[in-house]
Amino acid sequence: MSQPGWTLVYSRQAQKDARRLASSGLKAKAQQLLDVLAQDPFATPPRFEKLVGDLAGCYSRRINIQHRLVYEVLPDEKLVHVLRMWTHYE
């Protein structure tokens, strides 16, 4: 029997980013990443990076060369908090 997945919650910024992804044709790729996170936020592939600086404790995965999905993992609650789903270079 497979273990239950993780709960995804989205920041207000991530909700805005989701609309931008949909209009830029990247929704399917982002959805694949979200599906991976819901199963296991530490699963690979695709590989993820542990972030430093302001986002220390968070992780990111590439949606494409420009855009990233940035999230934090709250293991005690089996929760993945999705912070951003658009470029972080703006």
Side-chain angles (χ1 to χ4, degrees):
M1 187 170 146
S2 67
Q3 66 186 60
W6 291 64
T7 303
L8 301 182
V9 285
Y10 300 89
S11 68
R12 183 172 283 137
Q13 182 62 53
Q15 291 171 17
K16 281 184 193 167
D17 293 345
R19 289 192 286 276
R20 294 167 85 179
L21 284 171
S23 63
S24 66
L26 292 169
K27 184 177 181 181
K29 177 70 172 134
Q31 188 59 54
Q32 285 177 327
L33 290 175
L34 294 170
D35 291 345
V36 169
L37 295 184
Q39 287 300 313
D40 178 0
F42 301 110
T44 56
R47 66 187 193 84
F48 61 88
E49 289 177 38
K50 198 167 168 84
L51 301 178
V52 294
D54 290 350
L55 291 170
C58 295
Y59 302 89
S60 87
R61 292 178 188 253
R62 285 192 180 279
I63 297 170
N64 67 9
I65 195 73
Q66 183 182 13
H67 302 301
R68 292 171 176 265
L69 192 154
V70 177
Y71 61 98
E72 62 183 333
V73 178
L74 308 169
D76 294 342
E77 293 97 34
K78 281 204 67 127
L79 203 69
V80 177
H81 186 207
V82 179
L83 303 171
R84 300 291 309 262
M85 294 193 288
W86 195 250
T87 178
H88 62 277
Y89 303 112
E90 291 181 354

